Amino acid sequence: MPPKKRNSGTAQSNKELKPSSDRSFPDKTGSPEFSQNKHTDKDVEFVTLSKSLHVTDSVCERAWTLWKTVQDLMEDVATNQKRLWGACLFVTATDMDAACFTLTEVLKEVDINVKQFLSLVRRLDVNLDTISTKVNSALTRVEKKYDVMLALYQRFEKTCKKIFVSTPDEKERATLRTCWTMFLLAKGRALQMEDDLVISFQLLLCTLELFIKRSSPELLLPLYKSVVSKAQSPLTRTSRRNQSKTKSRVVESEVNVELLETLCKDNECNSEEVKNVYQTSFSAFLDQMDLSRFPDFPLVTDVNQQYQEHYLKSRDIDGRLFFDGDETVLVPKVDILQVERTPKKTSPDDDGPIIPPQTPIRAAMNSIKMLRGDLPSSGDQPSSKLATYFKNCTVDPTQGIQKRLEMLGQVFSQMFGEAVGPHCIAYGRERFNLGVRLYYKVMEAMLESEEKRLSVQNFSKLLNDSTFHTSLLACALEVVMATYEESSFKNGGCSHGEGEQAVRDLCFPWILNVFDLSAFDFYKVIESFIKAEPTLSKEIIKHLETCENFIMEKIAWRTGSPLFELLKREHEAGGTEQAETPASFSLPLQHNHTAADLYLSPIRPGLRVLPPESPATPSSQASSQANSQAVGQAPRQSKSNSLSLFYKKLYRLAYTRLKTLCSCLLSNHPDLEHVIWTLFQHTLQYEYDLMRDRHLDQLMMSAMYAICKVKSVDLRFKSIVSAYKNMPNTSQETFKHVLITEGQYDSIIVFYNQVFMQKLKTNILQYASTRPPTLSPIPQIPCSPYKFPNSPLRVPGSNNVYISPLKNPRMSPGMMTPRSRMLVSIGESFGFANRFQKINQMVNSSDRAHKRTLDGGSALKTLKRLRFDMDGQDEADGSKSGGESALIQKLAEMSSTRNRMQEQKMKEDAESRKKSP
């Protein structure tokens, strides 16, 4: 290690810059100055706060107007007045793009925590029109960035305790603070998306590698001391003579591979990915820093000054305050408990290793490890079996698939780099290669399933369908990005921002825009993808289900969607026929369709004449149907399977959301729910053009208000919107930004008055007449078709015994982070033989079902065997599963009732005998 450099330069070289030492903003030049004389009509303290935050006169004026609007409607105004002023200034400056202060400066001025401040700003929306979608997007971005930064700092703190010897030396603490600050600077320069958890964590490991190899071995704990010592070979006489010449030519881009691998192993991170980050983003950052000037450590002042400039430019949170333990960024104790979701051992007698808490970073690293472990070893090429399927096609799709992958790979990597950061194209290639491997794996599973179902091996039509391949690849990439936490519906889901911020958001439906793929076509592959890939985690399945719902709610209804063309064709061909008849609502939703059915769009299963076990292909079924028609009869155009299924799912989703909203608002009027649903369903069926470039929930809220209006039920739109905000998976944009006419947007109330009411006025008024329309049937609401086979299932009759199938033999119990007190993996050694005895005790002591003997005695018998639902099917699906267990349960109930009746009769007979002389 090079000798430590003595103090040189200016007297300030070892002094840290204070976060507020530089008040200059890079783009503040030319902004009008604040004139205190213009604000004599305002509270003096408010004017003082405005001046301290360097706001303009116009911002101060509008913020005061906002304050006057909300002060009479807010609670705790007296105790939170200054904080509310700060919130008003933040909202106004954000709306006007005139922020001359950072978020941290506001927090400091009004003495409030980040989370508390974000909650306070959202409370300003008392009239539901105070907070714009622009401000709401800014709040969501800040909240996500804060959560990521908090998770990173908590991991940084824990990791440093494993690396460095704990000493009270202030100099060593200053070194760690510089390390953290340099990481923040590297993250800010390398990433446009600073809320990318995985890449940010990988950059943190790169920064730690740099500081570890520059540290004195005496400051390192044994593991890292040993690794660093190996890299420092003994100096020869010649090398000592030339040491002074070479120490100024330190090449920081030459990573200590063994040290980086040790860090990765200690943090359960993929070392190849971290090396890639080091060689691209981190090396470019080090070149910018020119660390050859500082052979020992970068000067604190230099790093601090550069980060100060970045922080003032970003205008949000000063990340250095995490290291300082500042109150504005401290996490509440409740949130800390939520982070550590996995319980620790509750008894010292419990055997086995203590499982660490499931933090956001550990969860992400485990998910990535599992994804990589589940992918085939054939790499980004099709397996031999899949290649055979390609060769069996009438037209071999191999060349077309390869050209498509090459073209889409370039587009994806380029767009990924533009969204994430200037040196991140390489990470886009990594994600794409993982997606290709998953794409081939799922395709092979789909074709195997189709071969068993149809007894054919020639899938030429499907495998030469470009839309099918693009959709399948997009779904695979969405799974990869969700695993890497780059596409997530957490903290509000996809951004509703505009311009540059919208481009940087990788959340769904970003992938559709990259591939120029319609949402309706993408929707067709989701369910088949989940069924074909049983190793998907519960979180990923939920993510894909949320994507599917988002498609049905909104993005499938955008102008240019093939959905409108299908609907037009259906109505033109069938006259008054609908995409899905109300009579089918009461039927269970079948989940036996496949991607081939939907992309090849055959006729509906109910119209086919061939028996289900026929080996005919969908195309042969269609031709057979046509040939069976009577001679001279006009051919009847077959209906689209994809449209039929889409509307079935749409109706069930729509009714589920309506039922949730009605339970909040109309619990005293339960009969209105059915009436509202009838109007809602009529709109989706006959006036579907109202959905164009709009959201499903906009029609739902309008239908609710309309029926309550004609039924003389006092329900205001404000109450509807307030309740709607508390529903899951909602956005303020839904009721604040509604299409009125082309290019014109306004609130949900304006939409109701100018569009919805005008279009459906005649139909709405019918519900006030003595002869209202016939009520539509209520759709069956089955459980989600997406099973979670890897979720623990409770053993019937037991309160504390669960079973969970082991996902794959590579997973150890320690990786599964259970929520129970004991985990046993059958077929794998787990330490102590007495743990089986403990399991038996748990089972025997649990509250299980018992049955009494027929003679009325007090002795209890346990049921002879436990009942398991082996195939895990849902009775709502119309399947036979669960039938036997239901019968057994019914018989047990009958037996129990009979026993109680016999006991009661025996007691009555005994009492009557006692009374008789």
Side-chain angles (χ1 to χ4, degrees), residues 396-404:
D396 192 335
T398 305
Q399 190 174 359
I401 290 173
Q402 291 174 349
K403 286 183 178 180
R404 188 182 301 107

Side-chain angles (χ1 to χ4, degrees), residues 500-556:
E500 186 179 3
Q501 184 60 37
V503 172
R504 294 179 182 179
D505 192 350
L506 294 183
C507 188
F508 185 81
W510 178 84
I511 187 64
L512 304 186
N513 300 328
V514 171
F515 286 174
D516 193 22
L517 180 66
S518 77
F520 184 72
D521 286 327
F522 179 81
Y523 137 85
K524 298 176 187 177
V525 83
I526 294 177
E527 186 172 328
S528 293
F529 190 101
I530 294 173
K531 290 178 179 178
E533 182 50 43
T535 63
L536 293 178
S537 67
K538 183 176 181 179
E539 288 72 23
I540 295 298
I541 293 175
K542 284 185 175 181
H543 176 81
L544 291 178
E545 189 172 11
T546 306
C547 292
E548 184 181 65
N549 290 342
F550 190 43
I551 289 171
M552 292 188 290
E553 292 168 358
K554 182 178 181 179
I555 59 178

Side-chain angles (χ1 to χ4, degrees), residues 557-584:
W557 300 97
R558 289 175 177 171
T559 298
S561 170
L563 175 60
F564 287 105
E565 183 61 31
L566 271 176
L567 284 167
K568 181 182 177 182
R569 207 180 302 160
E570 284 276 322
H571 281 256
E572 288 177 351
T576 59
E577 291 186 20
Q578 309 106 26
E580 190 57 39
T581 58
S584 67

Side-chain angles (χ1 to χ4, degrees), residues 148 202 213 239 370 570 655 702 738 761 825 838 902:
V148 168
Q202 291 167 344
K213 68 186 181 187
S239 62
M370 288 165 58
E570 284 276 322
Y655 179 70
S702 297
V738 189
K761 187 174 183 179
S825 177
K838 291 188 176 183
Q902 288 179 347

